[in-house]
Every structure is written in C-alpha cells, then in structure tokens.
C-alpha cells in the first residue's frame, strides 16, 4: 500500500457498518442508505452473519427499473455472489481480491472472533491508503470494460 506491507484489512477498512436484515424490504434498505449516507449495505441473515451486499444501483436496476415495488422485495433476494476478506488479511490481499472480482466494496469479517462483520473496505478507504500508482492500477482493473 503506501509502503507499509504490514497493513491489514482492519487497518484500512471503515468500521461501524450496519446491516440490513435479509427479510427487510428494499424500501427499508433504501431508507437506511439515505439515512447513513452510503451506497451499499451488508445483508445479514437471522444469525447476524453476512449473507450478501446490496447497492443502491441494485435496487434501481433490479427492482425499480423493472416496475417492482421495493416494499415487496426482501433485501436477501438480491444478495448475489458474496466476496469478503478476513480482518487480519494483508491489505494487499484485499486489494487483489477487489481487483480480481472488479468490486468496489469489500466486507471485512473477523474470523477469529465469531466470524462477525467488522467493516467494509470501499474506494475511499483505498484512496487514503494506496499510492498513486496503486490507485491507477485499481481503477484500470475495476473499471475496465470486460
């Protein structure tokens, strides 16, 4: 990252994330996003374990644009493929995972302490911790046309 290869995912993540319940509606998810001023929410199941991630774009493209009432759709139905990293994983590993799978947000799980969600690594977190060259490489890999 910025010269310190000992940084972990926990060191660069944003903490204090809040989950939307898998059985809560997309309308509730949208309101949470608005109130928290975020563009994505982790989805947690009945056991409070991470089951997915939903973005504002998911709600618009996969629900509203199809003419579906967001109040009638459960957040868990849009969870999709789940990627995450361990809080103790090297930050470089988290960056590689984000680049490889072309994702802009990566949930961080504390595997050693109950497999609980402790944060998310987002683009702003990368911007604070990457060198200019690393940022350019991330952008070229994540935003490149497939």
């Amino acid at each position: 990252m910025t010269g310190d290869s000992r940084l972990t995912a926990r060191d660069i993540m944003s903490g204090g994330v809040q989950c939307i319940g898998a059985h809560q509606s997309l309308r509730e998810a949208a309101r949470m996003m608005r109130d928290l001023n975020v563009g994505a929410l982790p989805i947690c199941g009945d056991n409070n374990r991470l089951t997915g991630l939903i973005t504002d774009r998911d709600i618009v493209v996969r629900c509203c644009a199809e003419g579906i009432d967001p109040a009638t759709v459960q957040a868990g139905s849009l969870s999709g493929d789940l990627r995450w990293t361990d809080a103790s994983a090297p930050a470089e590993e988290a960056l590689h995972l984000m680049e490889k799978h072309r994702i802009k947000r990566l949930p961080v799980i504390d595997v050693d302490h109950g497999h609980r969600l402790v944060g998310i690594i987002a683009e702003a977190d990368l911007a604070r911790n990457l060198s200019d060259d690393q940022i350019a490489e991330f952008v070229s890999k994540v935003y490149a046309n497939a």
Side-chain angles (χ1 to χ4, degrees):
M1 310 284 285
T2 53
D4 188 350
S5 61
R6 297 168 299 179
L7 285 176
T8 65
R10 184 185 303 276
D11 294 330
I12 66 169
M13 73 179 195
S14 292
V17 295
Q18 292 186 31
C19 286
I20 184 80
H23 300 295
Q24 289 181 268
S25 74
L26 294 184
R27 178 176 291 156
E28 291 172 283
R31 287 180 178 154
M32 265 182 90
M33 288 180 195
R34 176 199 64 202
D35 295 347
L36 296 170
N37 194 29
V38 297
L41 288 171
I43 302 168
C44 292
D46 295 334
N47 59 0
N48 285 326
R49 291 244 175 137
L50 181 69
T51 61
L53 188 76
I54 188 167
T55 67
D56 48 5
R57 187 175 194 285
D58 292 332
I59 295 170
V60 170
V61 172
R62 296 172 62 193
C63 182
C64 298
E66 298 298 326
I68 301 168
D69 180 357
T72 66
V73 180
Q74 292 184 352
S77 68
L78 297 185
S79 58
D81 288 340
L82 178 60
R83 308 266 187 240
W84 57 272
T85 191
D86 184 0
S88 62
E92 290 280 354
E93 188 177 304
L95 174 63
H96 175 71
L97 189 63
M98 292 174 79
E99 290 174 344
K100 178 181 177 185
H101 297 286
R102 300 178 68 191
I103 55 178
K104 300 169 191 163
R105 299 168 186 96
L106 184 65
V108 179
I109 303 290
D110 190 336
V111 173
D112 294 335
H113 297 97
H115 206 86
R116 62 186 178 88
L117 177 68
V118 293
I120 289 186
I121 298 173
E123 292 169 301
D125 301 308
L126 296 178
R128 283 190 294 272
N129 291 282
L130 295 178
S131 68
D132 290 345
D133 289 342
Q134 288 170 312
I135 292 169
E137 185 175 344
F138 174 79
V139 168
S140 70
K141 288 182 178 177
V142 172
Y143 289 96
N145 291 330

